[in-house]
Amino acid sequence: MLLIFDFFVFNTVEENEYISKIIPLQDKLYRFARRLLKNEEDAKDAVQEVIIKLWEKCSMIDSERNIEAFAMSVTKNYCIDKLRTRHIQLVPIKGIFPTQKSLNPDIMLEQKEELEIVEQIIATLPAKQRAILQLRDVEGMEMSEIAKIMKMKPNNVKVNLSRARKKVKEKLEAYENGYKNY
Amino acid sequence: MDIRIIKKLLEKYYEGETSLEEEAMLRDYFNNEDVPQELKKYQSQFVFYQREREIEYQNYDFALPKGREIHHTKKQLYWIPAAAAVILLIISIIFFLPQNPFSHKQSNVITVTDPDSTYRITEYALYAVSENLNKGLGKLDKLEYLQEGMNALNKININLSNKESN
């Protein structure tokens, strides 16, 4: 009896197809989760969870549907949920600003340090803006695609993107001025 | 590249109005060219975004849970008995129909077109009917005995009632 049922289940073919679809997306999912959760370990867990979740919903993913947008959307939902339940806010931003006298100006000039500051600044943005900034400026996605992932109107995406970019600029300027004043 | 173009692109960029191509231009510019002092403050963002793109998820070996197979098989199970039941139903309906295509009983219906044989067959049929009818009617003769019995009873009845009235 079981043999008959096994005949109807094509696991290996489906499995291979799914893996071949999901592997190219993993980096993108990881970067997105990392940006939202601000933590590498949590981001890795998130990718694992999302891959499993997608696998369980695999029958819903047909070739016509955009698996990338769907996967990103699932990742976004997962991360937002995680952020809601997370009580301790990671990455304290105040520590790195030049109001601290312990900062060494020579190190500040190093590009690496500067990039870390950009990262810290982005981490202070609201989750929605962080997600949109990541999808656009890092992943280079179309506005319509971002709108689909974020379940927002394209115009709303644009407004949030502009707001996020401006905030990054303002905070960078504040940082540079603070450093120069110091 | 012309700084004025970059400045214009930056303006558009902060309004969220640059296209993907224009953003790629900005990224290329700030990552590869010698950036003048007045634009230096914008550089770190674009360098950061470029670096972020290169981050990889270094955990490729994952095991898909086997749970889904059971889930899948269960789903498959639902339609198999349903299909079997429908097939059984159809077969039984066909089998028990009055005109069963699988039975080998000869049909009672004869189709005749020739007028002569039609006449003969009809005559025969009517004859058979009348004979059977006569057979049936023959049994009715026995009713006469019943009638006689009834008449006798009536006479007794009348006699009895006469006596009572006297």
Side-chain angles (χ1 to χ4, degrees), chain A residues 5 8 11 14-15 26-27 30-31 34-35 44 47-48 52 55-56 58 111 114-115 118-119 122 133 136-138 140-142 158 162 165-166 169 172-173, chain B residues 13-20 23 27 41-42 44-45 47-49 51-53 55-57 59-60 62 64-66 68-69 72-73 75-77 79-80:
Chain A
F5 296 141
F8 294 101
N11 278 317
E14 257 189 353
E15 217 172 83
Q26 279 188 315
D27 291 340
Y30 171 64
R31 290 191 294 253
R34 196 172 155 275
R35 176 69 54 241
K44 276 178 187 166
V47 174
Q48 290 284 334
I52 290 165
W55 171 242
E56 281 163 356
C58 198
Q111 201 186 33
E114 223 166 277
L115 296 182
V118 177
E119 181 157 33
I122 292 170
L133 196 73
R136 181 71 181 187
D137 281 348
V138 178
M141 285 185 172
E142 291 288 349
K158 205 182 93 177
S162 167
R165 283 170 173 174
K166 278 179 183 163
K169 183 178 78 166
L172 266 174
E173 276 169 359
Chain B
Y13 171 80
Y14 285 112
E15 292 307 317
E17 273 162 4
T18 37
S19 66
L20 284 176
E23 282 164 25
R27 217 170 28 240
K41 60 178 177 179
Y42 300 107
S44 53
Q45 306 161 58
V47 174
F48 175 75
Y49 297 141
R51 295 280 166 87
E52 279 295 299
R53 299 184 144 213
I55 289 173
E56 284 176 1
Y57 176 67
N59 192 9
Y60 282 104
F62 57 85
L64 291 172
K66 293 286 163 197
R68 191 174 162 278
E69 285 171 30
H72 202 133
T73 315
K75 236 186 208 170
Q76 298 281 0
L77 279 174
W79 67 267
I80 294 169

Side-chain angles (χ1 to χ4, degrees), chain A residues 125 128-138 141-143 146 150 152-169, chain B residues 12-20 23 45 49:
Chain A
L125 297 174
K128 203 202 281 175
Q129 291 183 14
R130 220 156 59 223
I132 293 171
L133 196 73
Q134 173 75 13
L135 294 176
R136 181 71 181 187
D137 281 348
V138 178
M141 285 185 172
E142 291 288 349
M143 288 297 199
I146 298 170
M150 301 302 294
M152 286 164 77
K153 284 179 182 156
N155 202 46
N156 209 355
V157 173
K158 205 182 93 177
V159 169
N160 274 285
L161 179 65
S162 167
R163 223 171 269 167
R165 283 170 173 174
K166 278 179 183 163
K167 257 187 225 171
V168 171
K169 183 178 78 166
Chain B
K12 269 177 86 183
Y13 171 80
Y14 285 112
E15 292 307 317
E17 273 162 4
T18 37
S19 66
L20 284 176
E23 282 164 25
Q45 306 161 58
Y49 297 141

Side-chain angles (χ1 to χ4, degrees), chain B residues 17-135:
Chain B
E17 273 162 4
T18 37
S19 66
L20 284 176
E21 289 75 27
E22 287 168 328
E23 282 164 25
M25 271 170 70
L26 281 172
R27 217 170 28 240
D28 278 355
Y29 175 77
F30 283 109
N31 277 288
N32 302 318
E33 296 200 27
D34 204 16
V35 181
Q37 197 55 43
E38 58 173 324
L39 293 179
K40 268 268 195 275
K41 60 178 177 179
Y42 300 107
Q43 191 173 16
S44 53
Q45 306 161 58
F46 293 100
V47 174
F48 175 75
Y49 297 141
Q50 184 59 39
R51 295 280 166 87
E52 279 295 299
R53 299 184 144 213
E54 289 151 14
I55 289 173
E56 284 176 1
Y57 176 67
Q58 282 145 348
N59 192 9
Y60 282 104
D61 45 307
F62 57 85
L64 291 172
K66 293 286 163 197
R68 191 174 162 278
E69 285 171 30
I70 296 156
H71 177 70
H72 202 133
T73 315
K74 258 187 199 164
K75 236 186 208 170
Q76 298 281 0
L77 279 174
Y78 293 126
W79 67 267
I80 294 169
V86 168
I87 290 164
L88 205 70
L89 195 71
I90 290 167
I91 288 171
S92 55
I93 285 171
I94 291 168
F95 201 77
F96 291 109
L97 272 179
Q99 280 148 349
N100 183 358
F102 301 116
S103 88
H104 298 288
K105 267 190 224 161
Q106 267 193 331
S107 173
N108 295 333
V109 183
I110 307 162
T111 314
V112 186
T113 45
D114 175 39
D116 272 354
S117 49
T118 311
Y119 174 74
R120 263 186 282 116
I121 288 162
T122 314
E123 195 183 29
Y124 170 76
L126 287 173
Y127 179 73
V129 169
S130 76
E131 197 173 70
N132 279 327
L133 195 64
N134 282 338
K135 254 189 219 164

Side-chain angles (χ1 to χ4, degrees), chain A residues 16-28:
Chain A
N16 291 340
E17 201 190 348
Y18 175 70
I19 290 168
S20 71
K21 273 182 183 173
I22 206 75
I23 277 183
L25 293 178
Q26 279 188 315
D27 291 340
K28 221 175 238 194

